[in-house]
């Protein structure tokens, strides 16, 4: 596999589907099982490079390896050696070294070769990437399936040989050999046009490579850099999401199904392909920083920018990332700080008030991103003027005063920020993530003791336990001692807190619906000032 090929992507369900299909073909005595088209270039020094088909080839080789391992476990070393030499590796006649018949990309190949050599000797802790986990899961799935075949078969050895014979003689592919990468990329895209389901990232990658001409190696290197940067930022697959967000930061809203077509229309020359791949590689570092707030990029900006990114991630506002990319690319640091702060306020208001679905938010943010990229919007004030809808103070206060928050991290964020508008700063006030020092207290506890059930019905308690007005932040030690104590005892401890809204609880004679609603309304009025969009 070329270095630029994507890492192993098949999940266990894909592997199980392949196994089930082959099993059914064998049991039905079908003469052929069509595995699809394989596109390769070469040969160069007797080896071919796979442009399309790497997932299927990898999976089938892991299946053969699992059959080989079963013979090894049964001490049938002749069968083990025969399978290895026929399907998995050649032995150099001079050096006596094994040459694998298939090698994967730089990220996956070491683990893949170890799986083919001796699966039991692998230290899984050395392989933390998501593609590594998928390879290990695929190998486990293959071995489990082979074990089940042997348990059910009257003659396990014969059953294994039947599988090998079928894989060798009846598994069919259409092999398409192209003289060079350029031709291979055209073939790859043509196969997709004929209905073969391919990843958008693969389509775009191959299109850029095809368009790059003699600049192909430069484009490949930029693509590899982009993928490596994104993989280091998150265990979750990011490439397609990033490609879409990057394109939206320049061109406005793009649905995933339209992404390849839009970029294909924009990138129509060798120069444009190289420039686009360069921009992709450079912006990937910025995108990684938007996910990882410890990224070195934030050292160029004041602390408020990093805090804003952290808040947007906590709020789950991935839709805003195209706009953040555009702002970071086009605006100076002071304007970035002001913009990010206001965008947190906008995000909080959208979250609390609701009514704007994910699609609406994507359109709002991506339209603004395009305006920033085109130089039409040069400040956060310009950006906000272009928003088609923004929750006003009255709507925000009304929604905040009745908000229930189920996620504790989010509740701590809201409560912590509310304290920043109070006079003075508490020694308890630490970053939201530090739950060792500051905990979330539910005054009306989530688990009611008999003393609480005297005043609260089950339905009322369920409706008010997660209301913000029922929550407070406080020192972890004090919180651990409260548990579900009655209110008269809790308020004595809460009164000692230096947090204003926590200390406020002591003003209430009893903790009932009226007390929670009153406290939360007072919070809402402060919230409108903290998350102001004026």
């Amino acid at each position: 596999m070329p270095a630029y090929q994507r890492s192993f992507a098949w999940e266990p369900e894909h592997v199980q589907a392949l196994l089930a299909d082959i099993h059914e073909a064998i049991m039905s005595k079908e003469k052929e099982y069509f595995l699809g088209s394989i596109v390769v270039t070469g040969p160069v020094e007797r080896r071919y490079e796979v442009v399309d088909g790497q997932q299927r080839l990898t999976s089938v080789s892991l299946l053969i390896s699992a059959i080989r391992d079963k013979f090894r476990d049964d001490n049938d070393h002749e069968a083990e050696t025969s399978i290895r030499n026929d399907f998995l590796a050649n032995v150099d006649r001079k050096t006596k070294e094994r040459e694998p018949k298939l090698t994967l990309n730089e990220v996956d190949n070491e683990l893949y070769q170890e799986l083919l050599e001796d699966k039991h000797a692998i230290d899984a802790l050395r392989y933390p990437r998501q593609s590594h986990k998928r390879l290990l899961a695929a190998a486990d799935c293959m071995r489990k399936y082979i074990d089940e075949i042997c348990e059910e078969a009257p003659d396990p050895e014969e059953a294994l040989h039947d599988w090998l014979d079928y894989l060798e003689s009846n598994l069919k592919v259409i092999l398409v050999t192209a003289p060079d990468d350029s031709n291979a990329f055209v073939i790859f895209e043509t196969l997709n046009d004929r209905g073969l389901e391919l990843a958008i990232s693969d389509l775009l990658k191959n299109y850029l490579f095809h368009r790059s001409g003699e600049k192909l190696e430069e484009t490949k290197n930029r693509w590899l850099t982009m993928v490596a940067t994104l993989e280091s930022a998150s265990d979750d697959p990011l490439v397609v999401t990033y490609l879409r967000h990057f394109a939206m930061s320049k061109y406005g809203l793009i649905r995933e199904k339209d992404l390849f077509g839009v970029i294909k229309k924009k990138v129509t020359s060798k120069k444009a392909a190289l420039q686009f791949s360069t921009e992709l590689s450079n912006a990937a570092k910025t995108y990684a920083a938007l996910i990882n707030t410890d990224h070195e990029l934030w050292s160029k900006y004041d602390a408020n920018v990093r805090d804003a990114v952290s808040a947007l991630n906590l709020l789950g506002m991935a839709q805003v990332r195209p706009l953040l990319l555009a702002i970071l690319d086009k605006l100076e640091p002071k304007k970035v700080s002001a913009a990010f702060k206001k965008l947190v306020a906008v995000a909080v208001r959208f979250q609390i008030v609701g009514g704007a679905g994910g699609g609406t938010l994507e359109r709002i943010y991506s339209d603004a991103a395009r305006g920033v990229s085109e130089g039409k919007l040069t400040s956060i004030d310009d950006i906000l003027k272009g928003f088609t809808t923004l929750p006003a103070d009255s709507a925000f206060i009304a929604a905040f005063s009745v908000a229930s928050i189920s996620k504790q991290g989010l509740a701590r964020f809201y409560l912590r920020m509310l304290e920043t508008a109070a006079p003075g700063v508490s020694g308890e006030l630490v970053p939201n993530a530090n739950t060792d020092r500051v905990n979330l207290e539910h005054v009306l506890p989530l688990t009611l003791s008999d003393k609480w059930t005297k005043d609260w019905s089950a339905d009322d308690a369920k409706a008010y336990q997660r209301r913000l007005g029922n929550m407070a932040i406080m020192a972890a030690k004090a919180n651990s001692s409260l548990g579900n104590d009655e209110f008269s005892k809790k308020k004595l401890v809460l009164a000692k807190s230096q947090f204003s809204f926590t200390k406020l609880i002591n003003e209430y004679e009893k903790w009932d619906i009226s007390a929670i609603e009153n406290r939360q309304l007072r919070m809402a009025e402060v919230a409108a000032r903290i998350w102001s969009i004026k």
Side-chain angles (χ1 to χ4, degrees), residues 381-397:
D381 292 335
D382 292 341
I383 292 169
L384 295 185
K385 286 176 185 175
F387 280 17
T388 54
T389 177
L390 279 174
D393 281 356
S394 57
F396 179 58
I397 290 172

Side-chain angles (χ1 to χ4, degrees), residues 3-24:
Y4 58 78
Q5 283 289 19
R6 64 172 167 160
S7 298
F8 189 70
W10 274 20
E11 301 289 350
E13 55 265 30
H14 301 122
V15 175
Q16 289 163 1
L18 175 67
L19 291 170
D21 285 349
I22 296 175
H23 180 71
E24 183 179 351

